[in-house]
Amino acid sequence: MCLGIPGQIVEISDTNHQLAIVNVGGVKRQVNITCIVDEEHPPESCVGDWVLVHVGFAMNRINEEEAAETLRLLTEMAELMVDY
Amino acid sequence: MKYVDEFRDTYKGEALLWQMEKLCHIIGKPLKIMEVCGGHTHAIFKYGIEEVLPPSIELIHGPGCPVCVMTKGRIDDAIAIAEYPDVILTTFGDTMRVPGSRKSLLQAKAEGADIRMVYSPLDSLKIAQENPTKEVVFFGIGFETTAPSTALTILQAAGENLKNFSMFANHVLVIPALKALLENPDLQLDGFVGPGHVSMVIGTKPYQFIPQDYHKPIVISGFEPLDILQSIWMLLQQFVDGRCEVENQYNRLVKPEGNTIALKAINQVFIERETFAWRGLGDIPHSGLKIRPEYALFDAEIKFVIPNRTVADHKACQCGEILKGVLKPWQCKVFGTACTPETPIGSCMVSSEGACAAYYKYGRLSLVEKNNS
Ligand code: SF4
């Protein structure tokens, strides 16, 4: 039910309704981006952003640095195992 | 797929498990950890996470599946609305097979009610525009993850002055449910894996009461196998360090303050109910959302007369005890015999996020046999 899929915004399709085209695993879908748009992030600036899509809405932006940091930690742990 | 495949790497998973073994050895006692969210339950079964965990960790599958906690009474109400002449009821696919007291939405559809599955609540607005002579009612269910989307749907309907659209709101809230669980004396838990997508909306702050008042740690987790393993590892690390905190494994999506735009939309459209009934858990104060009087035009509970009856659950069904983590699905007498995903008796057997269906679908029957012998 709370399922979400990562996707990348490729184009703003309707500024009035805050709709964008999002590439979700190779499939292009129209998605509402109201939840990720504010003064700092006008719709035009969202192209290229990675978002989590849930029931036709982009619910949040995926933070690339945080994702990389999590993976870095896990890689370090895996390297520890090799050394062991 | 980016942000998916990297978090399924087996080698990193092995490293986490290797670390966990060591931590469990230091802890030296069995641990019960509840994953609250049905999405986690689904992932845990799909990837066989239970089998690979150190044997001293037991996972308890919590009540975080909005389909599983929907009462028969509310399903009956949705069916009653769908059976009004000239009504089109739209709903997420998950709700179709949930048993009501006499039938499910799927059966009502087979008998002629116009019930349509939609992917997004916004699809219902389109159906309403295309069918001006019909009343379109969206059966809105879900936790805080889904509530912003239904709130924004109502705001859009209001903006477009759509007269033939309304919503039957059944949103439930995670925090009051967790409070109710923690107050339950039967429940013996050592910590929680917290819901990732609910938290991307509400943030991490609302969970503070869990370590503060109940002295249990919680780690907000993502949904890929490495996310879940890392979250359990973080819990173990807290036990070893003698810490008890809210931690956030899923910080690529969850911020401490959540999503303020989404929260604003929820608050604009919805208001807490005094109380809401959960299947198996009973009435929980302030645990549901209803539509604010300002948007009464879009409230199906006002537009239609609904039976609004309380219906007792099936006698044999142990969903309540299972949601609380007191019983395991195979301890239910009708599990896998009278109750299967094709003929569910309780709603935990309907959605793959429910513990019963997850055990049934992912070959847990061997475990059942083992436990029964
Ligand atoms: S097996 Fe079926 S009847 Fe038994 S607790 Fe699970 S859902 Fe309820």
Side-chain angles (χ1 to χ4, degrees):
Chain A
M1 182 75 222
C2 292
L3 212 75
I5 318 170
Q8 189 175 29
I9 299 181
V10 291
E11 170 194 339
I12 305 300
S13 47
D14 181 343
T15 323
N16 284 342
H17 289 98
Q18 303 200 310
L19 298 175
I21 304 295
V22 177
N23 182 340
V24 183
V27 182
K28 294 207 172 127
R29 276 200 193 149
Q30 178 143 288
V31 163
N32 184 300
I33 55 167
T34 308
C35 290
I36 59 155
V37 169
D38 58 17
E39 275 140 37
E40 278 170 51
H41 303 95
E44 318 79 70
S45 76
C46 297
V47 175
D49 286 358
W50 279 85
V51 293
L52 188 97
V53 179
H54 169 69
V55 298
F57 286 76
M59 295 305 306
N60 247 7
R61 222 170 249 105
I62 298 175
N63 184 322
E64 309 216 8
E65 285 101 69
E66 293 287 7
E69 177 62 19
T70 305
L71 286 170
R72 195 186 58 78
L73 268 169
L74 293 174
T75 309
E76 265 181 30
M77 211 181 270
E79 281 162 4
L80 264 178
M81 187 166 67
V82 180
D83 296 344
Y84 192 70
Chain B
M1 202 162 132
K2 200 171 170 194
Y3 297 117
V4 173
D5 298 336
E6 309 98 287
F7 292 93
R8 293 186 181 171
D9 180 83
T10 344
Y11 193 64
K12 292 192 182 77
E14 278 167 20
L16 275 165
L17 289 165
W18 175 69
Q19 292 279 351
M20 279 191 217
E21 291 283 355
K22 292 203 284 190
L23 294 178
C24 280
H25 192 73
I26 300 172
I27 296 165
K29 64 170 182 128
L31 295 169
K32 284 189 186 202
I33 294 172
M34 174 180 275
E35 90 275 6
V36 179
C37 173
H40 285 146
T41 306
H42 178 83
I44 285 165
F45 282 99
K46 185 168 165 202
Y47 298 106
I49 288 178
E50 268 192 327
E51 274 103 289
V52 295
L53 285 179
S56 62
I57 302 176
E58 184 188 348
L59 293 179
I60 310 283
H61 315 297
C65 157
V67 178
C68 302
V69 299
M70 197 59 42
T71 59
K72 277 189 186 172
R74 294 300 277 187
I75 298 292
D76 288 353
D77 292 344
I79 292 172
I81 294 173
E83 286 177 343
Y84 267 85
D86 297 325
V87 160
I88 302 173
L89 186 87
T90 57
T91 178
F92 296 133
D94 321 40
T95 60
M96 291 299 279
R97 284 183 305 114
V98 183
S101 63
R102 284 173 303 118
K103 54 186 154 185
S104 63
L105 286 166
L106 197 65
Q107 285 160 320
K109 184 179 163 77
E111 288 170 19
D114 193 346
I115 300 173
R116 303 184 191 178
M117 278 189 262
V118 288
Y119 160 69
S120 166
L122 286 175
D123 298 340
S124 319
L125 295 187
K126 215 158 109 223
I127 296 175
Q129 278 152 352
E130 288 163 2
N131 296 275
T133 60
K134 303 264 186 175
E135 276 291 330
V136 175
V137 182
F138 177 64
F139 184 15
I141 81 159
F143 282 109
E144 290 92 330
T145 317
T146 318
S149 63
T150 60
L152 289 167
T153 302
I154 290 188
L155 289 174
Q156 187 169 331
E160 288 169 10
N161 206 2
L162 209 58
K163 297 259 184 328
N164 64 331
F165 170 79
S166 60
M167 185 177 300
F168 180 44
N170 288 277
H171 285 298
V172 278
L173 303 171
V174 160
I175 300 292
L178 280 174
K179 278 202 177 121
L181 268 180
L182 283 160
E183 284 297 328
N184 188 315
D186 295 343
L187 192 76
Q188 308 215 325
L189 284 179
D190 297 290
F192 292 96
V193 171
H197 291 151
V198 164
S199 308
M200 106 189 135
V201 174
I202 68 171
T204 59
K205 287 180 190 149
Y207 299 98
Q208 282 304 341
F209 77 97
I210 301 177
Q212 243 159 44
D213 303 342
Y214 296 92
H215 314 290
K216 314 255 185 233
I218 173 164
V219 177
I220 312 297
S221 175
F223 293 86
E224 297 304 331
L226 284 185
D227 290 323
I228 298 173
L229 289 176
Q230 191 184 17
S231 299
I232 299 173
W233 170 77
M234 286 166 80
L235 279 173
L236 298 180
Q237 197 69 59
Q238 286 205 38
F239 295 130
V240 168
D241 300 348
R243 286 179 295 125
C244 180
E245 297 164 9
V246 180
E247 284 188 301
N248 182 8
Q249 181 276 335
Y250 204 28
N251 44 19
R252 65 183 183 274
L253 264 162
V254 175
K255 286 186 278 187
E257 70 280 11
N259 182 327
T260 43
I261 305 169
L263 285 172
K264 208 175 124 211
I266 297 180
N267 288 328
Q268 192 176 345
V269 173
F270 296 116
I271 185 165
E272 276 173 19
R273 295 175 192 265
E274 285 287 302
T275 179
F276 195 68
W278 293 51
R279 194 187 285 241
L281 301 180
D283 289 325
I284 304 178
H286 311 295
S287 67
L289 294 177
K290 65 177 180 191
I291 296 168
R292 281 186 187 272
E294 296 92 300
Y295 297 96
L297 284 174
F298 303 98
D299 190 348
E301 278 176 84
I302 293 177
K303 251 186 178 177
F304 299 89
V305 180
I306 53 169
N308 201 7
R309 265 196 299 267
T310 316
V311 187
D313 288 335
H314 193 284
K315 278 201 303 297
C317 183
Q318 303 275 13
C319 273
E321 301 308 298
I322 286 160
L323 293 177
K324 281 184 262 180
V326 178
L327 286 183
K328 296 284 174 189
W330 64 76
Q331 291 171 311
C332 171
K333 282 200 186 65
V334 292
F335 173 84
T337 51
C339 185
T340 66
E342 281 67 48
T343 56
I345 289 178
S347 45
C348 297
M349 191 55 103
V350 174
S351 149
S352 62
E353 298 185 2
C356 295
Y359 270 91
Y360 188 87
K361 280 191 195 156
Y362 293 100
R364 226 34 56 105
L365 284 168
S366 55
L367 233 177
V368 179
E369 276 150 23
K370 196 174 84 199
N371 278 285
N372 283 344
S373 60

